[in-house]
Amino acid sequence: TTTTTATAAQSSTNEYGKLLKLTPLVPGRHRLAVIVPFRDGCPKNNQGAGRTENLREFAPALHGFLTQRGIDFRIFVIEQPKKGLFNRALMLNIGFLLTRDHFDYFLFHDVDMVPIEADNKHDYPSEVPRHLTIAWSANNFRERLPEAAGGAVLFTREQFEAINGYNPAIWGWGIEDDDLYFRIMCVFGRLERLPASVGRYRNLHHQRVMGLDELPVHLSRRTELHHLRALVAAGDTAAARDIINRSGVRQVQFKVDKIEEHALYHRVLIDFVDPSPPDEACD
């Protein structure tokens, strides 16, 4: 493991790109950035501990899967400090900002699942974003609800910027993937989804905590989600876009504390984020 500490002066994405040893894109050749949101510990207000064990299994599994398909890719694990509620959306947005100038498409992927089927498509999603995780082992491979885009989702750079990324105002577990779905529907009108027989994933075990989607901060965001859903359903694109444009990847500020270079991935520890977390202990 090689470790680099980023200073306040290295606050631009170009400087971080140098620290991550990223090279310019080759014209005519696609390059994939795999962005993995991460935090271990905080078992009471996060989805449990055990994520380090998940990462040990996830990294070689996905690395091998993509290598076998001849894809030019790098894996980036974006780690939130152990403070307050976890913000999956914010970590994914930061991963995009760190890598956007050196990759032309992006796979936003949870650390606790890996693809099973050989024909799961990870090529460049030229028309609309593509949702890869349709069914998984912990749910007995039943197809998930259509109004969500969680697990693993592919975007081009332009597609992700068009929806202003994920909503970083969503703290705590859940609904950021529902919000993402309606952002996609607002801007593109459809989301490509793999057949359930192809988009099959194996879950990696970790402790799960019930009731995290009933926290007050979560319930307030659910009300906002229902409003966005209603606007999209009514075809009020202008009002929906106004909501999307107020909170997303363009509103994120951050600073990197440390970058670790591992054999199969880079691990980026985040020091400062804006929006900042609610004042809640990490137990």
Side-chain angles (χ1 to χ4, degrees), residues 65-258:
F65 186 92
L66 296 174
T67 299
Q68 288 173 3
R69 282 145 189 80
I71 295 174
D72 185 6
F73 72 96
R74 292 270 296 277
I75 298 175
F76 302 91
V77 177
I78 312 300
E79 182 168 354
Q80 181 177 321
K82 290 181 174 63
K83 177 184 178 182
L85 297 173
F86 184 58
N87 190 324
R88 175 177 178 269
L90 185 54
M91 295 304 104
L92 292 169
N93 281 342
I94 290 173
F96 174 80
L97 292 171
L98 285 168
T99 59
R100 66 172 303 281
D101 294 334
H102 301 85
F103 297 82
D104 64 343
Y105 75 121
F106 301 81
L107 173 59
F108 300 97
H109 204 304
D110 287 344
V111 74
D112 63 349
M113 55 178 55
V114 291
I116 295 174
E117 304 300 331
D119 50 352
N120 188 315
K121 296 171 61 179
H122 285 68
D123 57 325
Y124 187 81
S126 57
E127 296 183 3
V128 297
R130 181 185 306 141
H131 189 200
L132 306 181
T133 311
I134 309 302
W136 56 94
S137 58
N139 198 36
N140 294 317
F141 296 108
R142 292 191 298 269
E143 187 169 354
R144 70 177 294 149
L145 297 175
E147 291 188 351
V153 193
L154 273 174
F155 287 86
T156 68
R157 184 195 302 118
E158 293 76 16
Q159 289 166 357
F160 194 71
E161 291 177 337
I163 66 165
N164 198 19
Y166 286 86
N167 183 355
I170 299 176
W171 293 89
W173 183 82
I175 82 168
E176 74 286 332
D177 50 356
D178 305 72
D179 181 272
L180 182 73
Y181 172 82
F182 290 107
R183 287 172 177 248
I184 293 169
M185 295 305 292
C186 172
V187 174
F188 296 101
R190 68 185 180 94
L191 169 65
E192 181 185 354
R193 287 167 54 87
L194 296 181
S197 60
V198 175
R200 286 161 39 98
Y201 281 70
R202 176 172 62 88
N203 290 101
L204 308 180
H205 175 74
H206 62 85
Q207 176 186 346
R208 293 185 180 273
V209 182
M210 302 303 293
L212 291 182
D213 55 353
E214 299 302 324
L215 295 172
V217 65
H218 184 98
L219 295 177
S220 65
R221 294 304 177 192
R222 188 179 293 279
T223 300
E224 296 172 6
L225 174 65
H226 291 330
H227 181 49
L228 178 59
R229 176 191 287 119
L231 292 175
V232 173
D236 193 346
T237 303
R241 282 180 180 267
D242 182 61
I243 292 174
I244 290 169
N245 288 332
R246 287 201 304 264
S247 182
V249 69
R250 290 192 291 274
Q251 283 71 43
V252 168
Q253 298 182 52
F254 67 97
K255 188 176 76 172
V256 169
D257 175 37
K258 185 168 60 176

Side-chain angles (χ1 to χ4, degrees), residues 15-91:
E15 289 299 322
Y16 288 141
K18 293 177 184 177
L19 293 175
L20 289 165
K21 301 178 182 178
L22 303 180
T23 57
L25 279 168
V26 176
R29 182 176 179 181
H30 297 303
R31 181 190 292 166
L32 173 65
V34 181
I35 310 298
V36 182
F38 187 84
R39 185 173 68 176
D40 205 351
C42 305
K44 292 184 180 179
N45 62 13
N46 190 22
Q47 267 300 9
R51 297 312 182 111
T52 299
E53 290 301 317
N54 288 166
L55 181 58
R56 290 193 184 107
E57 188 173 356
F58 167 85
L62 188 65
H63 194 282
F65 186 92
L66 296 174
T67 299
Q68 288 173 3
R69 282 145 189 80
I71 295 174
D72 185 6
F73 72 96
R74 292 270 296 277
I75 298 175
F76 302 91
V77 177
I78 312 300
E79 182 168 354
Q80 181 177 321
K82 290 181 174 63
K83 177 184 178 182
L85 297 173
F86 184 58
N87 190 324
R88 175 177 178 269
L90 185 54
M91 295 304 104

